[in-house]
Amino acid sequence: MDDRFAGIRSRVEAHLADVLKPFGDGPVAEAMRYAVRGGKRVRAALVMEGARLHGVADDRSIWPACAIEAMHAYSLVHDDLPCMDDDDLRRGQPTVHVKWDEATAVLTGDALQSLAFEMASHPDGAETGAARAELALTLARAAGGQGMVLGQALDIAAETAETPLTLEEITALQAGKTGALIRWAATAGPRMTGDDSGPLDRYAKALGLAFQIQDDVIDVTGDAGAVGKAVGKDAAAGKATFVSLLGLDAARARAAALAEEACEAISCYGQDAESLRQLARFVISRQT
């Protein structure tokens, strides 16, 4: 898995660089390149490994893989803005609005979102027009007011709510904010071929929640220098998190149980899905 994962990261970096070449050297173009740089590429790996399980070549799955990375990068650029989470660091570097300015950050996020749909529907990706349309349609739903944007809106509302969210409410919030794009990434492969996406969707539903729980654990236990962004902000703001509601040990145990649930969901693929099982275990062991 390590070699495969490293290969996916390298391929995504190269592909995004190629796609962004025609954008020129203006501030927005430079900020787009800056925003998509680095990261663990978990979402891209989900796309490419799910696609591999359904017989899709890497040359084709790289397009939706980079689409989800562009969409994710857009969400981070906007999430870091002063009107949202107001963060100065991302991946150990100044955030886009700090390095440039707020207007450039807004436009950069807008451009990355558009680029995501361009790549999801690119003719070199899924072979049929119907499959490309399905990828674009489902990406819009996952990223928009029924998915990620809804989750972000609920998260913002929680900051000023009179009472902290319940465990059930946090789970619903994170199903949109974090989970929606993860589920899209995992199911992109079978969508490219018109196959059943159920097993990978169940895998991703458990994985997305485990991912967010581990994020909450890192926010409590992590070091800002190692994590590459501010930590402890949720506790300082008095926000309810999986850790504050469950306790640190119980949150870790819940994440581990969800990772195993994710692995069980893809048992139908046998050994061919071992890389996805390793990815699930990586998600709950990461420290950044």
Side-chain angles (χ1 to χ4, degrees):
M1 176 58 186
D2 288 344
D3 289 345
R4 171 66 172 166
F5 203 9
I8 287 173
R9 287 199 302 269
S10 296
R11 187 157 194 165
V12 167
E13 297 281 347
H15 193 79
L16 286 169
D18 285 343
V19 167
L20 287 169
K21 279 180 182 176
F23 283 65
D25 298 319
V28 171
E30 288 300 320
M32 290 172 73
R33 294 185 183 95
Y34 182 84
V36 299
R37 196 171 66 193
K40 293 175 283 294
R41 306 300 188 194
V42 168
R43 292 157 188 82
L46 287 170
V47 172
M48 297 188 73
E49 285 300 280
R52 180 184 60 80
L53 289 174
H54 289 266
V56 179
D58 288 354
D59 286 349
R60 289 194 173 275
S61 65
I62 189 65
W63 287 96
C66 286
I68 197 64
E69 290 294 330
M71 187 66 79
H72 179 53
Y74 131 71
S75 75
L76 298 181
V77 171
H78 280 194
D79 193 46
D80 289 335
L81 285 166
C83 62
M84 303 277 271
D85 277 1
D86 193 15
D87 280 314
D88 293 337
L89 283 177
R90 173 68 65 178
R91 296 169 179 167
Q93 300 294 323
T95 49
V96 172
H97 73 273
V98 171
K99 189 172 177 66
W100 282 273
D101 52 60
E102 288 183 41
T104 299
V106 170
L107 292 172
T108 297
D110 293 344
L112 286 169
Q113 184 190 59
S114 296
L115 180 62
F117 288 112
E118 181 181 340
M119 289 191 288
S121 57
H122 198 283
D124 288 343
E127 292 193 38
T128 68
R132 294 193 293 273
E134 175 72 5
L135 287 176
L137 174 65
T138 53
L139 182 57
R141 288 174 176 164
Q146 300 177 83
M148 180 183 67
V149 168
L150 174 60
Q152 181 67 22
L154 293 172
D155 195 33
I156 291 172
E159 293 178 1
T160 55
E162 291 184 4
T163 58
L165 297 183
T166 65
L167 185 61
E168 183 178 356
E169 288 170 331
I170 291 177
T171 300
L173 182 161
Q174 298 300 346
K177 185 179 178 181
T178 302
L181 291 191
I182 286 177
R183 289 176 73 177
W184 185 89
T187 57
R191 290 187 193 281
M192 293 179 79
T193 56
D195 293 330
D196 178 21
S197 62
L200 283 167
D201 187 54
R202 290 189 291 275
Y203 165 87
K205 186 177 180 180
L207 182 74
L209 186 53
F211 192 101
Q212 184 56 49
I213 293 173
Q214 185 63 19
D215 266 0
D216 286 356
V217 169
I218 292 169
D219 192 60
V220 172
T221 64
D223 172 78
V227 175
K229 61 180 181 179
V231 296
K233 291 184 67 178
D234 289 341
K239 286 175 62 176
T241 67
F242 288 106
V243 173
S244 70
L245 291 174
L246 295 173
L248 183 58
D249 290 343
R252 283 171 164 158
R254 178 65 177 142
L258 284 163
E260 289 308 309
E261 183 180 326
C263 293
E264 180 59 30
I266 51 174
S267 59
C268 59
Y269 293 106
Q271 278 300 115
D272 288 343
E274 181 57 27
S275 59
L276 287 177
R277 284 187 277 273
Q278 290 181 23
L279 184 59
R281 293 172 184 129
F282 162 75
V283 159
I284 62 166
S285 65
R286 65 195 168 87
Q287 297 303 312
T288 63

